[in-house]
Amino acid sequence: MEGFPAREKVEAMCKERTTSRREFLRNCVAGAVAINTAGQSTPSFPGRAVAPPARSRVSIARDPLLRGAPRRETGSSQGGNRVDPTRILVLLDQAVHGIINAGDPSGAWTKAVRPGQRVGLKVNTLGGRGLSTNVLLVEAICERLREAGIKASDIVIWDRDSEELERAGFRIRSGGNQVQCYGTDRVGYSDYLASFGSVGSRLSKILIERCDVLINVPVLKDHDGAGVTIALKNMYGVIHNPNKYHPDGCNPYIADVNALPELRCRLRLHICDATTACFEGGPGFKPQFAWRANTLIVSTDPVALDYSGWQMIERKRAAEGLKTLTAEGRAPNYIATAADARHRLGNNDPRRITVVETQVA
Amino acid sequence: MIPERSSCGISETQDCAGKNEASCALRGEQLPARWPLDRRSFLLKAASLGMAGGACQILQPLRAMPGWAEPARENDARFIVEARFYRKLANKKIKCKLCPRECVVGDRERGYCGVRENRGGVYYSLVHSRVCAAHVDPVEKKPLFHYLPGSLAFSLATAGCNVNCKFCQNWDISQARPEQIPAEYIPPKRVAELAAQWKCPTIAYTYSEPVVFSEFLMDAADAGHEAGIRSVVISNGYIQEEALRAAYGKMDAVKIDLKAFSESYYQKVVVGELKPVLDTLVTLRKMGKWTEIVYLVVPTLNDSDAEFNGLARWVKGNLGIDVPLHFIQFHPDYLLKNLPITPVSTLERARRIAMAEGLHFVYIGNVPGHPAENTYCPQCKHLLVERAGFEIRQMLIRKDACPFCKRKIPGVWHA
Ligand code: SF4
C-alpha cells in the first residue's frame, strides 16, 4: 500500500521560514536525494533528483447517488446539481482510502499532515460556479484536516484571484480563528524569479509564505490548448505569468512549472474533483459539455493522476461520439514530458500505475 | 554614466528598485482589499527604469508635483477599451490580429501578452492609460541617434509584452499582468501635458513592448500631435501589417530591436519569429518612417560572423545603407544569467563586418566613451556628432548635411 512521502524530510526541506532562499533550494535538492535513498517504504515525493516511484497508485471513487437518487422519468438526480455534503465526505474518505490504508478516515490524513503545519488547498476556480472545485468537497477536506490536528487558521483555500474564488462560491475570509480563503491578488507574488527549464516565474506568496504543505484540488477538464487540464496544469495558478506558457499545447511548460523546487517540495496530495467534469469545450464552463461524473480521483503522483484522468475523458468522448484528443491534434503531451528523465514528476506508463476503482455503496 | 534599461537588453548597472513592495506579510493580519498600489512604488519603478544620471533630478519635481497622475485602482474601468485589431469567432472566442502570434482567446481568458482579455466575446485592452513606468530620458537612451540629438523624451510603458526574451532586463514589467504591478492613470491628454511641462519635444513608448498597448499609443500620439509633440516607439517590431500601419503610422520615428538574424534564436531565446520583424522593417521603409535598428549581441548565441554578415547584407539589400544599426552590449539578466557581458572586441567585429558590407552608420552601444558612439560623415569622414554616453558633446550637422562636404546626413536632425 502506497503512503505519503517521508514527511519529516519534506518538512525539513520546506523550512523556508528559518532559512534563506538559497539554503531552502539547496535543502530541497539534498533532501530529495535523501528521500530517494531512504528505502523501499518511502514512496517518491517530488524533488529534483528523485526518480519516480516504481509504481504509482491512483484511486478513483464514484458515488452515483452523490446528488441523490436519479428520477425515474428523466434519469436526472433528484438533488439537482447540488452535491450531498454527507455523501461527498464519504466519497472523499473512500478515495483517500484507495491510496492510504489507515484505520479511520482522519488517520489517513495524519499521514499527510501534522499539527502546526500550514496547509494550502489550491483549488481551480476559472470555470465559475459551473465548473470549479466544489465548495462542499473543499469543506470536507478541511473537516478531515481539522480532525488531523490542523488549526483552522492554518488552512488556506486559495487560487489566483479572489473574485474568481467568490464566483465559484467560496467566501473570502482572512484573519481570526477560521479557515482562510483568498486569492494571490491580495498578497502578490515573490520578488524573485523561480526557474526550471523554459519557465521563469514569480510564485504566489500564498505558496511561499503561507504553505508548508500544498494539497492540489483541481477539476477534471478538457482544455482547448493543452488537451486536458487536471492536476499538473492547475499549478499554472501558482505562477504570475501563465499566459506565457500556453503555446505548443503547454508543453514542456506545464512539466517545467511542476518541477519548480518551491512547488515540488510542498505538494503532498492531489484530489481531483470530477463531481462535475468537462469532456469538451474546456476550460471554460459550457453546460452542454459538463459531465456529472460524481467522481473523485486521488493520488500522490500527479502524472499518474493526469494520465488516468485523460483516459477517463477519452472514454467519455468516445461515448459521446467525439474524436480522440490525439485525432484532434491536442493530445496532452505534457504528461509524458512530466514523466521524462528531466522532470521525473511521476509515472505515465499504465503498466506502472495501479488504478483502484471503487464505488460508494 | 548609467545606461538605460530597456526590454531589448540595453544594459543596466543597478537592480530594479521598483519591484512590488506592496506585498503584505499575512501572519495574523487582515488582508488589504487589494494588492495596494502606492505612489512610492510607482515612482521607484519609474526611477529604476530611468536611472540616467540626470533622471533623478528630473524625477524630483515630479514627486513634488501633487496630482500629476492618479493612482490606478484594480480592474479600473478607465483602463479598459475595446481592442482595435481582432476578429470574433464562434463560441465567444476571438482571434487577436494585433501581432503575428494571432492568439485565439476563449471567453474570460487572456492572450499571450497578458494585457488583453476576452469578455463575453469582445476583446479588450486592459492597459489604456495604465502607466507603470514614466520618465524623462535623453532620446539617445532609446537609442535614437539620428533623431533630434540632445533632446528629451517623455518615456512611458504599460505592463505586458508579446514575446518573452530570455535576456529581458525589464521582465518585472514586461512579463507581468497589469494588475500585478503598480500603475497610475495617465490618459493621453495628460501624457501630452506632462511632456510639454518637462520640455520634451517627444513622447517615447518604450521599456516594455508598445505593440501590446497600441490603442493607448495611438491615442497618446494623437493627443501629442495636437499639442505639437512628436512620438517615437521603441519596439520589437513583432506586429501585423495592418496594425503597424495604423499604430506606427502615427510615429515620427521608430526604433526596432532586431534580436538576431536567425529563426532558431527567435524561437528559442525570444519566443517569437524573425520573418515578421523583417517584414515590419521593410514596411516601415515603404512608409517612409525614420527607423533605427538595435541588435543586442549575446555571446555565443547570435555573435557569429555569418550572422553579422547576413544581417548587414539584408539591411543593405532591403533598407539601404543609410539605416543606423546599433550593436549593443549584452548584460546578464532574467533567464540568461549564465552568459558573460559581450566583449567589446565582439561588438567591434560586428561593426567592422557591417561597415565592410557598406553600411554607413554603424554604432556600438552600452560602452560609454567608445568612439563608435559618434556619427561620422560617410563621405569626408569628419566627426559630426560627438557623444559620450547620452551626452552630446558636439553637434555639427547643419541643414541635415555635413558642414564640411555638404553630403546629406539622413535623419531628423532639427525640430
Ligand atoms: S497582441 Fe497579445 S493577444 Fe494579441 S496576438 Fe499578440 S500576444 Fe496574442
Side-chain angles (χ1 to χ4, degrees):
Chain A
M1 180 61 68
E2 189 176 51
F4 282 94
R7 188 176 59 196
E8 292 73 18
K9 291 195 174 90
V10 172
E11 283 160 15
M13 281 153 54
C14 291
K15 272 187 183 158
E16 84 285 15
R17 270 185 295 183
T18 52
T19 54
S20 68
R21 179 174 177 264
R22 186 184 291 260
E23 286 168 339
F24 167 63
L25 294 176
R26 201 172 41 226
N27 287 344
C28 275
V29 175
V33 173
I35 287 171
N36 196 27
T37 54
Q40 294 305 313
S41 61
T42 308
S44 78
F45 182 71
R48 194 172 175 144
V50 180
R55 293 200 68 80
S56 298
R57 205 171 175 89
V58 175
S59 167
I60 301 178
R62 292 191 183 83
D63 180 0
L65 303 180
L66 189 66
R67 292 176 163 95
R71 282 201 188 94
R72 261 246 187 92
E73 329 74 74
T74 62
S76 63
S77 302
Q78 281 175 3
N81 196 28
R82 194 177 154 76
V83 162
D84 180 324
T86 313
R87 294 195 76 97
I88 193 128
L89 187 61
V90 175
L91 182 63
L92 173 68
D93 289 342
Q94 185 148 331
V96 171
H97 182 79
I99 58 160
I100 313 160
N101 199 357
D104 62 284
S106 46
W109 288 90
T110 56
K111 294 189 176 179
V113 294
R114 81 168 171 214
Q117 284 186 321
R118 299 165 306 163
V119 181
L121 302 178
K122 169 63 182 72
V123 296
N124 187 305
T125 54
L126 284 174
R129 225 177 239 278
L131 197 57
S132 294
T133 306
N134 192 297
V135 176
L136 294 174
L137 168 64
V138 175
E139 283 179 3
I141 296 170
C142 291
E143 190 176 328
R144 288 295 180 238
L145 287 171
R146 299 288 315 280
E147 286 168 7
I150 305 296
K151 281 198 306 192
S153 56
D154 280 343
I155 300 172
V156 56
I157 300 160
W158 65 283
D159 201 356
R160 200 178 58 182
D161 188 77
S162 302
E163 268 178 33
E164 284 173 355
L165 278 159
E166 280 182 311
R167 262 202 301 273
F170 292 93
R171 188 166 61 81
I172 302 303
R173 48 195 192 255
S174 64
N177 187 24
Q178 59 182 338
V179 171
Q180 315 286 297
C181 178
Y182 48 83
T184 301
D185 59 303
R186 298 290 175 103
V187 294
Y189 292 86
S190 62
D191 292 332
Y192 68 86
L193 203 64
S195 65
F196 185 96
S198 54
V199 160
S201 297
R202 287 174 159 165
L203 301 171
S204 169
K205 283 188 175 172
I206 301 177
L207 175 82
I208 57 174
E209 293 181 356
R210 188 67 181 71
C211 299
D212 302 316
V213 169
L214 187 64
I215 296 178
N216 184 15
V217 199
V219 179
L220 182 71
K221 294 199 279 188
D222 169 84
H223 191 284
D224 56 4
V228 297
T229 166
I230 316 175
L232 291 164
K233 186 161 185 308
N234 196 33
M235 291 301 107
Y236 270 26
V238 171
I239 59 174
H240 85 297
N241 53 353
N243 46 296
K244 294 291 174 189
Y245 304 128
H246 279 83
D248 304 322
C250 305
N251 190 22
Y253 309 111
I254 292 178
D256 287 348
V257 167
N258 279 270
L260 292 171
E262 290 90 337
L263 197 52
R264 217 168 169 167
C265 285
R266 290 173 172 86
L267 265 170
R268 189 66 54 87
L269 180 63
H270 307 265
I271 302 174
C272 173
D273 180 358
T275 57
T276 301
C278 140
F279 58 89
E280 167 73 353
F285 174 57
K286 300 197 178 59
Q288 67 273 32
F289 302 125
W291 159 37
R292 288 182 191 166
N294 295 331
T295 298
L296 297 181
I297 315 168
V298 175
S299 184
T300 54
D301 177 344
V303 182
L305 191 155
D306 275 20
Y307 179 82
S308 306
W310 170 28
Q311 301 313 308
M312 270 179 72
I313 287 178
E314 291 289 24
R315 284 193 292 274
K316 176 68 176 169
R317 291 176 65 84
E320 297 286 336
L322 292 168
K323 281 191 204 163
T324 63
L325 294 174
T326 308
E328 285 202 351
R330 55 188 184 102
N333 296 324
Y334 67 82
I335 298 175
T337 305
D340 71 14
R342 184 139 192 264
H343 296 86
R344 297 172 171 238
L345 291 161
N347 283 312
N348 73 324
D349 180 347
R351 289 166 302 182
R352 289 170 172 260
I353 301 172
T354 303
V355 177
V356 182
E357 295 201 56
T358 56
Q359 187 158 311
V360 174
Chain B
M1 190 67 61
I2 302 173
E4 153 166 277
R5 282 167 61 95
S6 156
S7 57
C8 70
I10 293 174
S11 91
E12 61 172 295
T13 54
Q14 62 187 83
D15 257 350
C16 172
K19 297 228 160 62
N20 280 304
E21 304 192 325
S23 62
C24 88
L26 284 172
R27 289 169 201 114
E29 292 172 20
Q30 285 292 328
L31 292 167
R34 278 281 161 187
W35 197 8
L37 306 172
D38 62 80
R39 184 177 185 74
R40 187 169 161 270
S41 305
F42 175 77
L43 290 169
L44 281 171
K45 166 55 70 184
S48 76
L49 289 167
M51 294 197 305
C56 285
Q57 293 157 21
I58 293 163
L59 260 181
Q60 287 303 333
L62 273 182
R63 287 172 202 229
M65 186 165 58
W68 74 283
E70 293 175 49
R73 289 190 302 270
E74 176 62 20
N75 225 352
D76 196 321
R78 291 175 300 182
F79 303 131
I80 301 169
V81 298
E82 185 172 353
R84 295 201 193 178
F85 308 100
Y86 76 100
R87 301 247 163 82
K88 294 189 178 184
L89 305 176
N91 288 327
K92 291 189 181 169
K93 288 189 176 181
I94 66 92
K95 180 186 268 190
C96 182
K97 301 291 284 181
L98 177 52
C99 91
R101 201 173 286 283
E102 296 208 329
C103 296
V104 173
V105 184
D107 188 17
R108 304 199 58 78
E109 290 179 356
R110 292 191 192 175
Y112 181 87
C113 53
V115 302
R116 300 175 167 266
E117 186 168 288
N118 180 346
R119 296 184 175 181
V122 180
Y123 207 38
Y124 292 96
S125 160
L126 309 179
V127 288
H128 197 284
S129 309
R130 194 171 195 157
V131 177
C132 68
H135 205 78
V136 176
D137 290 337
V139 79
E140 282 74 17
K141 282 173 68 182
K142 303 299 126 195
L144 280 168
F145 276 13
H146 289 222
Y147 174 87
L148 304 185
S151 69
L152 296 173
F154 186 77
S155 309
L156 54 85
T158 77
C161 183
N162 57 350
V163 296
N164 187 5
C165 301
K166 302 277 175 280
F167 47 76
C168 184
Q169 297 196 315
N170 290 333
W171 62 268
D172 47 353
I173 61 167
S174 69
Q175 303 305 315
R177 292 174 168 231
E179 66 274 20
Q180 291 168 349
I181 50 172
E184 303 240 355
Y185 176 63
I186 310 184
K189 277 211 164 111
R190 191 78 188 112
V191 170
E193 281 168 20
L194 285 166
Q197 209 164 323
W198 291 99
K199 312 235 174 316
C200 300
T202 305
I203 302 162
Y205 311 93
T206 180
Y207 302 136
S208 55
E209 179 44 59
V211 166
V212 307
F213 60 87
S214 288
E215 293 84 0
F216 177 39
L217 167 147
M218 291 164 79
D219 293 345
D222 286 345
H225 286 139
E226 271 172 35
I229 293 169
R230 305 178 196 215
S231 276
V232 299
V233 66
I234 285 69
S235 172
N236 62 21
Y238 194 50
I239 184 169
Q240 294 211 18
E241 185 173 342
E242 186 194 344
L244 170 70
R245 287 185 180 275
Y248 292 4
K250 293 179 186 286
M251 298 295 107
D252 296 278
V254 179
K255 190 213 84 178
I256 296 293
D257 295 312
L258 183 57
K259 302 185 191 257
F261 200 66
S262 79
E263 283 292 357
S264 72
Y265 181 98
Y266 262 85
Q267 209 182 337
K268 287 182 200 145
V269 181
V270 177
V271 195
E273 302 160 273
L274 170 63
K275 173 76 169 51
V277 180
L278 298 180
D279 292 346
T280 287
L281 285 164
V282 171
T283 306
L284 286 167
R285 167 100 180 149
K286 285 186 198 150
M287 290 162 69
K289 286 286 160 207
W290 179 252
T291 303
E292 301 189 22
I293 299 172
V294 160
Y295 186 103
L296 180 81
V297 182
V298 183
T300 71
L301 297 184
N302 66 355
D303 62 348
S304 69
D305 283 5
E307 252 184 292
F308 294 147
N309 265 314
L311 165 72
R313 261 199 304 275
W314 185 89
V315 170
K316 183 180 173 184
N318 293 276
L319 309 176
I321 52 179
D322 281 343
V323 176
L325 175 60
H326 304 249
F327 287 108
I328 299 283
Q329 189 176 51
F330 158 85
H331 288 247
D333 206 325
Y334 190 38
L335 302 173
L336 268 191
K337 287 188 174 155
N338 56 333
L339 293 176
I341 291 173
T342 321
V344 173
S345 58
T346 305
L347 300 168
E348 288 169 339
R349 173 166 55 86
R351 182 169 186 264
R352 261 198 318 274
I353 289 171
M355 295 197 73
E357 189 61 37
L359 302 192
H360 283 154
F361 303 102
V362 186
Y363 298 100
I364 286 179
N366 274 357
V367 187
H370 196 285
E373 284 189 313
N374 301 328
T375 302
Y376 301 90
C377 176
Q379 192 165 281
C380 71
K381 312 296 180 204
H382 265 97
L383 174 70
L384 297 178
V385 184
E386 185 184 2
R387 300 178 182 87
F390 308 132
E391 192 190 325
I392 301 292
R393 294 239 167 109
Q394 287 189 71
M395 159 57 184
L396 303 177
I397 294 168
R398 295 285 174 271
K399 294 186 181 163
D400 301 341
C402 169
F404 306 103
C405 69
K406 309 296 178 212
R407 187 209 189 260
K408 202 122 174 90
I409 308 298
V412 182
W413 298 106
H414 305 289

